[in-house]
Amino acid sequence: MRKYDKDQCTASIHALLQSHQEIAKYIEKKKIEDALSILQQCQEDAIRVGTCIESQEGEGTEAVHMLEEYCELVYQTYDNLIQGNTVHFRQIEKKLRKVLQKADTDLQNGIRTQLEVVFLPYKAAMWDSLESVWQAAQDDPDCTAYVIPIPYYDRDEYGRVKELHYEADLYPENIPLTDYRDYDFEERHPDMIFIHNPYDGINSVTSTLSFFYSENLKKYTDCLVYIPYFVLDESMLSHGVVDEHTQHLCCVPAVRYADYVIVQSECVKNIYVDVLTQYYGKHTEDYWRKKVLGLGSPKVDRIMNFQK
């Protein structure tokens, strides 16, 4: 089951547990109509969660069975309240809570979690900066990976957009591609998005469509990851030489908006952290140290694989 959907179902079950307390309060205050209204909403929410699980896992899961039992108990509770029987709700609530907890346990432990991961290259020539990560995702049985090339514009000397490029036909034949017009980011809400274009709208040479700016993509995923399309010269950096261009690369929009930034080494990570801390203030250092990870560059992976 998709991680995003599983998390949504889990949140709904926990919200149902909280709703029981509200029902009890309304019953104590003799506001029966309000209690009935919440019970009706509880049943609708439980059906929605069960439908979501069944649509991805098929029939017969213990979680759906428990949710069906919960709906029957909710119906009995509703009928009792209609008839004026409010005495035994606390006892019934224990049964309601028990079946929901069983549903939650099966959802967490009995249903495998499937990640949906999206890769958004814009220039085919830069695909090597994402390729090895995509290959790992592609090989993971608990992951569904989408490669979605995105179009980009050239800019003239005045910053105005010119020709539109869409390079989907330039990728290796072994890579399954998805057209960017066929993937609904809002509806699917991928668990992770990987990008290698850091500039959003500040690049004077090229620009992707504004929808694919890192600032906007952040709305459609729980984890946005930026991996630079370039490799820095560490022989210079190790001597403490950080030129203006390198400082600029450390402070581009994708570094700011991504949840994680993957760089080629710990040395480069330290450069990023130092530059970003100077720019945003000493109090931000721990934040950047957790966000910027020196895990390596897929560009180097590609060279190593080519040599093998």
Side-chain angles (χ1 to χ4, degrees):
M1 184 177 186
R2 277 282 318 278
K3 180 181 183 299
Y4 175 72
D5 294 323
K6 192 173 182 179
D7 290 345
Q8 296 292 308
C9 289
T10 299
S12 293
I13 290 174
H14 293 173
L16 286 171
L17 289 167
Q18 293 297 318
S19 296
H20 299 167
Q21 305 305 315
E22 293 298 313
I23 294 169
K25 289 178 183 178
Y26 282 129
I27 291 174
E28 289 172 3
K29 295 177 180 179
K30 301 189 183 305
K31 295 183 177 181
I32 305 304
E33 288 297 325
D34 292 328
L36 291 171
S37 178
I38 296 178
L39 274 170
Q40 185 175 357
Q41 187 62 54
C42 284
Q43 187 162 43
E44 291 173 1
D45 289 347
I47 291 172
R48 178 175 51 79
V49 171
T51 301
C52 179
I53 296 172
E54 208 164 61
S55 69
Q56 297 190 40
E57 297 298 313
E59 298 179 355
T61 62
E62 182 66 14
V64 172
H65 176 67
M66 288 295 103
L67 288 166
E68 290 171 343
E69 186 174 331
Y70 174 80
C71 286
E72 180 60 31
L73 287 169
V74 168
Y75 174 78
Q76 294 174 15
T77 305
Y78 190 96
D79 192 49
N80 284 337
L81 291 179
I82 287 288
Q83 297 179 33
N85 183 2
T86 63
V87 177
H88 302 297
F89 178 75
R90 288 294 183 185
Q91 183 177 355
I92 295 174
E93 196 278 328
K94 290 180 181 178
K95 294 181 180 178
L96 291 169
R97 183 169 66 250
K98 186 176 181 180
V99 294
L100 276 183
Q101 288 171 340
K102 286 183 178 179
D104 188 40
T105 298
D106 184 69
L107 180 61
Q108 302 309 318
N109 302 327
I111 296 177
R112 291 177 64 181
T113 302
Q114 191 79 11
L115 289 175
E116 184 159 307
V117 181
V118 167
F119 296 84
L120 296 178
Y122 76 113
K123 287 189 176 182
M126 296 177 179
W127 170 240
D128 60 353
S129 62
L130 297 175
E131 187 174 29
S132 63
V133 183
W134 164 78
Q135 190 64 62
Q138 185 79 350
D139 294 342
D140 188 339
D142 293 326
C143 183
T144 303
Y146 291 85
V147 179
I148 306 177
I150 58 177
Y152 67 94
Y153 291 99
D154 291 327
R155 290 184 184 272
D156 64 19
E157 63 270 26
Y158 303 104
R160 295 173 300 199
V161 295
K162 297 170 59 181
E163 185 179 359
L164 180 68
H165 303 275
Y166 182 51
E167 300 183 347
D169 59 333
L170 301 181
Y171 288 79
E173 292 183 0
N174 66 313
I175 300 174
L177 302 180
T178 299
D179 192 296
Y180 70 98
R181 291 159 292 199
D182 296 335
Y183 188 93
D184 190 328
F185 284 81
E186 183 173 9
E187 179 182 342
R188 299 195 67 85
H189 195 93
D191 300 296
M192 302 178 74
I193 297 177
F194 286 85
I195 59 174
H196 64 188
N197 175 24
Y199 300 111
D200 286 3
I202 68 170
N203 191 343
S204 61
V205 180
T206 61
S207 176
T208 63
L209 301 179
S210 59
F211 179 87
F212 297 106
Y213 289 176
S214 60
E215 181 179 9
N216 189 60
L217 290 173
K218 187 83 174 89
K219 304 172 188 175
Y220 301 105
T221 184
D222 296 328
C223 187
L224 180 62
V225 182
Y226 161 57
I227 302 178
Y229 64 84
F230 51 83
V231 174
L232 295 176
D233 183 356
E234 294 192 42
S235 64
M236 297 290 290
L237 297 175
S238 62
H239 291 88
V241 179
V242 182
D243 59 22
E244 186 176 337
H245 179 63
T246 301
Q247 292 181 31
H248 170 72
L249 293 174
C250 293
C251 298
V252 288
V255 173
R256 182 162 70 252
Y257 293 114
D259 295 287
Y260 293 102
V261 178
I262 310 299
V263 296
Q264 68 205 58
S265 68
E266 283 296 311
C267 171
V268 173
K269 168 182 175 169
N270 290 332
I271 295 298
Y272 268 74
V273 171
D274 290 346
V275 171
L276 290 163
T277 300
Q278 290 178 25
Y279 188 83
Y280 288 101
K282 184 65 178 176
H283 64 284
T284 66
E285 181 175 354
D286 287 344
Y287 170 77
W288 299 116
R289 289 206 174 277
K290 293 175 182 177
K291 181 173 185 171
V292 182
L293 307 175
L295 300 178
S297 169
K299 293 178 76 69
V300 176
D301 294 340
R302 182 178 176 85
I303 294 170
M304 297 294 291
N305 288 335
F306 182 76
Q307 288 177 338
K308 289 179 184 179

